Amino acid sequence: MRDQFVQTKNVKRFRTAVDRIQHAKLKGVERMALVFGPPGLGKSECALQHCAHNGSVYIRMKKLMSARWFLRELIDRLGDSPKWRTEDLFNQAVELLKQKKRTLVLDEVDYFTSDSKVTETLRDLGDVSGVPMLLIGMQQADKRLMRYPHLYDRFVEVVRFQPLDREDVELMVRELSEVTFEEDAIEKMVVESEGRVRKLLALIHRAEYVARGNKMKSISARDLR
Amino acid sequence: MNKTRIIGNELLKRGRDFFSLNQIIKATGLDRTVVRNTLLTLHSEGFLRRVLRTPEPYDKVKGPPMMNIRYRVITPSKLAAKIAPVQRGERNSADRMWFVIREKKVFTRRDLRVLAGVSRGYVRWFTKMLHRAGIICLTDRDEWSLIKDSGSRRPYVGDMISSKK
């Protein structure tokens, strides 16, 4: 399998959302966006790839995460050692974010939707420092965050990751696989992968294994049994 | 915040005015030994100039007299740069790989190639060096785990080849 990051429609939607929050400070236009969708569609991979190339701060939220834990992790990611008092921690985070504006990418935001302290801290950080924030959540993340209208109103872009369609599957297969897939094989991949990146990668691996074992140059649906 | 930064911020507040050891101890609330050692280090590194050094009135039974030392910051901008938190510049390939390793904790070489956009050879070299330094370990077939997280700055592994020889 080739080592490439494929630009599917979901990735393009993700990039559009990031572009929309990285504008210059305009009055009344916020810098927050939400990306959500079912598991296995490549949200986290997409976010990691973006952060690795653009120097954004990536934090994966945890179920037990408190506002204080979040601030400590944020300061660690910003390259400083966290202060002890909560008030100092918050001010330190704001100061560091103001010094060099970097987009905050928070993954698995569903975890903190039950803790209003973290949600409100995020809103405060966004208001005070003015950094762009991208929240990534699971399937029901938008509904859960709607319970906090003060936060939800600030999203300038809400992107739902969709399952891969035929066009995306074909693009991924052609860019990643080292063997040629016939049309009927691609149709079968669309059905079997259910539009999920994880499943599709496993199927491509299997197909390549079969092709290598039988010294085949192209794969048809019959070979994918 | 580390102690050098606390003391450095206090010194910067005074600009180019003279200050004594006791004044800094009082302002920062830190231990006398810590402040004295930090000021001595900053002096030896060329950030401070010693303008006065006289013995304080002798009230101790034994031991050398305590010295009343006055310092002055030579160039405040240089001191500010020294105590400032680490600012990252543009990320290079190794930085990107270190970022992915830290975030994923358990990863494959393919993850590094795809997510960090680095060539196969460089990924191989970098993981090998980190493995040699005891920072990552191989847990399964092409599955690596981070075992020693040294923070957001990537560890320097460039001299590992020569040390191996």
Side-chain angles (χ1 to χ4, degrees):
Chain A
M1 193 184 282
R2 293 193 198 104
D3 304 321
Q4 274 186 43
F5 191 78
V6 185
Q7 307 280 334
T8 56
K9 285 176 195 155
N10 282 334
V11 176
K12 285 176 188 161
R13 274 186 222 121
F14 181 92
R15 299 247 160 103
T16 312
V18 173
D19 286 345
R20 278 204 67 191
I21 56 170
Q22 283 180 338
H23 57 73
K25 187 75 182 164
L26 301 169
K27 201 177 176 187
V29 184
E30 298 294 338
R31 291 166 156 187
M32 279 180 145
L34 173 69
V35 173
F36 70 102
L41 295 184
K43 299 181 295 293
S44 302
E45 296 281 300
C46 190
L48 265 177
Q49 197 266 353
H50 169 80
C51 294
H53 283 81
N54 296 285
S56 307
V57 180
Y58 176 89
I59 300 177
R60 189 195 178 279
M61 308 302 281
K62 282 97 186 168
K63 184 72 185 166
L64 295 173
M65 205 171 224
S66 62
R68 193 178 156 77
W69 181 359
F70 165 68
L71 285 173
R72 287 178 68 87
E73 198 137 318
L74 173 62
I75 289 163
D76 174 61
R77 296 289 198 284
L78 292 168
D80 205 352
S81 43
K83 290 184 183 176
W84 182 250
R85 290 171 61 212
T86 312
E87 182 194 346
D88 295 340
L89 263 179
F90 183 81
N91 291 334
Q92 191 184 8
V94 170
E95 201 179 299
L96 288 169
L97 288 171
K98 275 183 179 171
Q99 274 173 13
K100 192 178 180 190
K101 292 227 155 105
R102 292 162 71 181
T103 308
L104 281 188
V105 179
L106 309 174
D107 200 358
E108 312 288 4
V109 290
D110 307 61
Y111 288 151
F112 67 66
T113 46
S114 53
D115 187 357
S116 62
K117 274 187 184 173
V118 183
T119 322
E120 299 300 325
T121 307
L122 262 184
R123 189 167 67 91
D124 291 342
L125 269 181
D127 287 353
V128 179
S129 65
V131 287
M133 281 190 199
L134 184 75
L135 277 61
I136 301 170
M138 284 180 266
Q139 214 157 359
Q140 304 291 327
D142 62 331
K143 282 176 188 155
R144 290 185 182 195
L145 285 168
M146 269 178 201
R147 283 187 291 171
Y148 304 97
H150 293 299
L151 185 73
Y152 198 82
D153 281 354
R154 283 168 165 76
F155 293 139
V156 287
E157 186 93 14
V158 178
V159 178
R160 187 188 167 87
F161 262 46
Q162 305 287 354
L164 302 177
D165 57 10
R166 196 196 181 283
E167 218 174 297
D168 279 336
V169 172
E170 194 175 347
L171 179 74
M172 284 194 76
V173 167
R174 295 219 188 287
E175 291 208 5
L176 294 178
S177 176
E178 286 167 7
V179 289
T180 317
F181 279 69
E182 287 170 14
E183 285 299 313
D184 57 343
I186 291 175
E187 287 296 341
K188 193 165 184 183
M189 298 283 259
V190 174
V191 177
E192 284 194 9
S193 68
E194 296 166 2
R196 287 169 197 252
V197 179
R198 268 182 217 152
K199 279 192 175 179
L200 183 63
L201 289 179
L203 286 169
I204 294 174
H205 266 298
R206 205 176 73 191
E208 283 187 343
Y209 178 74
V210 170
R212 251 198 322 271
N214 296 300
K215 294 181 181 166
M216 292 154 71
K217 284 187 180 169
S218 68
I219 289 271
S220 65
R222 207 156 46 95
D223 306 317
L224 287 174
R225 265 180 289 164
Chain B
M1 189 151 49
N2 63 29
K3 284 163 187 167
T4 310
R5 199 171 296 155
I6 295 169
I7 294 167
N9 283 331
E10 195 54 46
L11 302 187
L12 286 174
K13 277 183 202 165
R14 290 158 200 273
R16 288 172 184 274
D17 293 345
F18 299 159
F19 55 85
S20 69
L21 178 64
N22 288 336
Q23 283 174 323
I24 303 301
I25 293 166
K26 200 174 172 187
T28 56
L30 292 171
D31 185 54
R32 185 182 179 87
T33 319
V34 172
V35 179
R36 190 190 61 204
N37 290 346
T38 308
L39 292 181
L40 282 173
T41 311
L42 290 173
H43 174 249
S44 65
E45 288 174 353
F47 294 103
L48 302 180
R49 180 178 294 149
R50 195 182 279 168
V51 288
L52 183 77
R53 188 171 184 270
T54 52
E56 280 185 358
Y58 197 76
D59 57 348
K60 285 163 58 175
V61 180
K62 58 181 181 179
M66 288 168 78
M67 303 304 284
N68 178 19
I69 309 170
R70 300 262 165 111
Y71 292 98
R72 193 184 143 180
V73 178
I74 298 172
T75 319
S77 57
K78 281 187 184 170
L79 181 62
K82 181 183 165 57
I83 62 166
V86 183
Q87 292 289 325
R88 286 173 166 216
E90 284 294 308
R91 280 185 177 170
N92 59 24
S93 312
D95 286 337
R96 292 203 297 270
M97 282 194 279
W98 179 243
F99 173 82
V100 174
I101 291 170
R102 270 198 90 205
E103 297 306 336
K104 282 191 88 90
K105 305 280 195 280
V106 178
F107 61 97
T108 61
R109 280 175 169 166
R110 187 176 186 276
D111 289 336
L112 299 186
R113 292 197 294 268
V114 174
L115 297 175
V118 185
S119 69
R120 188 177 286 257
Y122 194 25
V123 168
R124 231 181 121 196
W125 179 83
F126 192 69
T127 46
K128 196 165 77 181
M129 290 301 132
L130 290 179
H131 182 49
R132 244 179 229 179
I135 295 165
I136 58 172
C137 69
L138 194 61
T139 48
D140 201 352
R141 194 179 156 205
D142 194 31
E143 189 183 271
W144 301 79
S145 288
L146 178 68
I147 48 175
K148 198 161 76 183
D149 190 354
S150 58
S152 55
R153 290 186 78 183
R154 103 183 120 78
Y156 180 67
V157 289
D159 57 350
M160 292 296 291
I161 294 172
S162 56
S163 65
K164 184 75 180 174
K165 284 172 188 172

